[in-house]
Amino acid sequence: MTTKKRRSFEADHFRKFLIVIDESPEMESALYYAASRMQRSAGTLVMLYVIVPQEFQHWINVRQQQIEEETAKAKALFRLMRRKLNVAGYENVACEEIVREGAKGEEIRKLIDEDEDIAVLVLGASADAAGPGPLVSTLATGASMGSFPIPITIVPGTLGLEDVRTMA
């Protein structure tokens, strides 16, 4: 996949940090880190929710119902994350909310390719003994890492808000 040149510092463009919104506990550390960086450097936080299609979808109505339910869930998570950001003092951080359908890794790459202002992907790493989490394992390791189009910042999921503020 060819990627477009990043343009976040050119005239009429601005820097964006991408974060994948889900219900994992480590995502919150990544959210606060990205918001802190955007607050200090002026830019936009892009919150992406990816609807992963269920494998068993023999009927169109089942698929449509899943998309509707997942879209409602995404909107609720976006509202929750905005409230958390506001309570944490990040009410002035601009946010975009994007919902996509497909495989997470593919949709992340597509969005990065489409939006030339996305400069950094921020992921939270799980503190679980099973490993850093599926997104970190998929995107930040192996052969795909050498050809990833933008830097990936991996934030330890154990970092609290105050820890993040001192580092971001």
Side-chain angles (χ1 to χ4, degrees):
M1 176 184 280
T2 50
T3 30
K4 297 177 182 176
K5 177 184 169 198
R6 301 291 99 191
R7 301 183 64 189
S8 57
F9 290 110
E10 294 180 11
D12 298 323
H13 290 268
F14 51 95
R15 191 172 192 209
K16 295 179 181 179
F17 274 36
L18 174 61
I19 180 162
V20 180
I21 300 296
D22 57 25
E23 295 178 289
S24 66
E26 61 271 13
M27 187 274 310
E28 201 167 308
S29 297
L31 177 72
Y32 290 141
Y33 180 85
S36 289
R37 293 295 311 273
M38 289 297 86
Q39 190 174 54
R40 292 183 180 184
S41 63
T44 299
L45 182 60
V46 178
M47 295 189 290
L48 171 66
Y49 184 91
V50 179
I51 299 170
V52 179
Q54 296 175 352
E55 291 185 30
F56 182 79
Q57 293 186 355
H58 293 298
W59 297 282
I60 292 174
N61 290 342
V62 173
R63 182 175 181 274
Q64 186 60 36
Q65 183 176 358
Q66 183 214 2
I67 291 170
E68 289 172 8
E69 289 173 359
E70 288 288 321
T71 300
K73 180 179 176 180
K75 290 178 181 179
L77 280 171
F78 290 148
R79 283 191 305 274
L80 176 62
M81 294 310 121
R82 282 302 305 159
R83 278 196 301 274
K84 287 182 180 229
L85 289 173
N86 289 343
V87 168
Y90 300 113
E91 60 275 347
N92 294 327
V93 173
C95 293
E96 284 182 37
E97 300 170 354
I98 298 172
V99 178
R100 296 273 184 114
E101 181 186 356
K104 279 189 181 180
E106 289 175 22
E107 293 305 317
I108 291 167
R109 292 285 299 246
K110 284 180 191 175
L111 180 59
I112 291 168
D113 192 47
E114 292 167 12
D115 190 338
E116 300 165 327
D117 292 338
I118 295 176
V120 176
L121 171 62
V122 181
L123 299 175
S126 174
D128 193 308
L135 272 180
V136 173
S137 296
T138 301
L139 298 176
T141 60
S144 66
M145 185 59 198
S147 63
F148 205 76
I150 60 174
I152 300 173
T153 299
I154 300 173
V155 180
T158 56
L159 293 181
L161 178 57
E162 290 310 313
D163 296 325
V164 168
R165 286 185 206 268
T166 63
M167 294 180 218

